Amino acid sequence: MKYIYGPVSSYRLGNSLGIDILSQPEKLCTFGCIYCQLGSKVKYTKERRVYVKTDEILSELTDILPKIKIDHITFSGRGESTLAENLGEAITRIKKMQKKPVVVLTNSTLMNRADVIKELSLADVVIAKLDSISMESLKKINQPDEGIRFCEILESIKNFRKGYQGRFGLQIMLMPKNKDEAEDLAKLALEILPDEVQLGTPLRKSPVMSLSEEEVFKIKRLFLGLPVVTVYDRKHCKIKPISREETLKRRGG
Ligand code: SF4
């Protein structure tokens, strides 16, 4: 398998089969998050193009799906999946060939584009990232590519959420550098009103220290009135990926 990895055990999605629709040697992203489990090297780009042909992804899926048990099929991997111009086409064709819900994890930076909004709307589940509360904290935590503005990201998330018919998750990565902003993050989450808030902290290998279970649960209580799940809430079951090496490349260890 060149483009498909996992399945992995996810606290949010159960057994999730990953699709890396970028599958480039270097991480391609609009962010260079300080906690990124794929390492600090990033090739910044905002250009949408086809990196892997949809036919090639479908051919791998056709081979693997009869052999595994999964709960979701998730677009994620070495970078920002919405950079793939064929994301919408891939979602549509995957939904036609099988019945498991299709998920896209996004860092929310391209959600201001009409084409991206249209393509994301085809997914059963969209999980959008929001780790910061201002331009200053965006720079500190997510190290965005030039021209990316915090207020635009926030507006895009709110607009998308309003029009989206599927299940909308808001993922927030907590770490020492943003834990004091948790109260403001909770206020923003209340304005967005996602179906679920997902509170993570880097538990896999990361340059950033994780918060303890106690700290994350304390923060969880700030999100009053919203359904919240944290990385410490659900037990991870051991699940064997198709290829450990390909999975490590996309998720870190
Ligand atoms: S965590 Fe996601 S959004 Fe952030 S740099 Fe890594 S791949 Fe990009």
Side-chain angles (χ1 to χ4, degrees):
M1 296 285 147
K2 277 159 72 181
Y3 316 115
I4 292 178
Y5 65 97
V8 296
S9 169
S10 153
Y11 77 96
R12 313 172 279 192
L13 300 167
N15 285 3
S16 168
L17 185 69
I19 299 179
D20 183 353
I21 197 168
L22 304 176
S23 289
Q24 297 301 296
E26 69 272 85
K27 175 173 67 178
L28 286 184
C29 205
T30 46
F31 273 175
C33 305
I34 55 166
Y35 58 83
C36 185
Q37 284 143 337
L38 302 171
S40 58
K41 262 193 165 171
V42 55
K43 185 171 172 197
Y44 283 111
T45 181
K46 291 192 218 67
E47 188 203 352
R48 294 195 85 210
R49 66 178 180 86
V50 175
Y51 293 91
V52 179
K53 287 193 187 128
T54 311
D55 280 348
E56 299 196 31
I57 289 169
L58 261 73
S59 151
E60 287 197 351
L61 269 181
T62 308
D63 276 356
I64 198 67
L65 283 177
K67 301 175 193 156
I68 51 171
K69 268 183 126 178
I70 52 163
D71 303 306
H72 291 90
I73 295 179
T74 305
F75 284 90
S76 182
R78 293 185 65 74
E80 172 52 31
S81 297
T82 59
L83 286 168
E85 211 175 21
N86 56 334
L87 178 66
E89 184 205 352
I91 296 171
T92 305
R93 291 181 61 190
I94 292 168
K95 283 178 60 113
K96 271 192 194 145
M97 74 183 279
Q98 59 80 53
K99 294 207 160 35
K100 294 294 175 195
V102 175
V103 184
V104 182
L105 303 188
T106 176
N107 66 13
S108 323
T109 51
L110 300 181
M111 279 165 101
N112 55 348
R113 292 180 53 137
D115 52 351
V116 172
I117 294 172
K118 198 168 154 203
E119 291 173 42
L120 282 176
S121 301
L122 300 167
D124 300 292
V125 183
V126 168
I127 302 179
K129 184 190 291 300
L130 182 73
D131 303 326
S132 46
I133 56 158
S134 62
M135 191 62 210
E136 195 190 337
S137 76
L138 187 81
K139 280 187 182 161
K140 193 174 63 180
I141 310 280
N142 304 109
Q143 306 186 120
D145 193 8
E146 271 174 27
I148 293 178
R149 299 274 163 266
F150 173 77
C151 50
E152 225 174 294
I153 293 176
L154 185 60
E155 274 318 297
S156 311
I157 296 177
K158 286 183 186 171
N159 284 339
F160 181 80
R161 201 288 171 261
K162 271 186 217 145
Y164 181 51
Q165 304 289 311
R167 191 165 170 75
F168 184 75
L170 187 72
Q171 56 170 339
I172 301 175
M173 190 63 103
L174 298 167
M175 64 208 91
K177 278 201 177 166
N178 69 353
K179 69 175 182 182
D180 294 337
E181 296 173 346
E183 211 172 324
D184 288 327
L185 280 165
K187 282 184 196 151
L188 293 182
L190 258 183
E191 289 172 20
I192 296 164
L193 282 183
D195 293 306
E196 184 174 81
V197 175
Q198 303 166 350
L199 298 181
T201 193
L203 294 184
R204 299 196 296 276
K205 199 170 154 206
S206 164
V208 164
M209 265 182 53
S210 55
L211 298 191
S212 68
E213 188 168 337
E214 203 189 344
E215 286 174 298
V216 171
F217 283 161
K218 199 172 155 200
I219 290 174
K220 182 181 178 180
R221 290 197 285 274
L222 300 171
F223 289 76
L224 214 65
L226 289 170
V228 185
V229 62
T230 85
V231 68
Y232 288 118
D233 283 319
R234 292 183 191 154
K235 291 277 164 273
H236 289 259
C237 8
K238 276 230 154 90
I239 133 166
K240 200 168 172 259
I242 316 156
S243 156
R244 202 174 133 70
E245 197 190 335
E246 292 301 316
T247 303
L248 274 176
K249 251 202 257 172
R250 270 68 178 232
R251 287 195 100 210

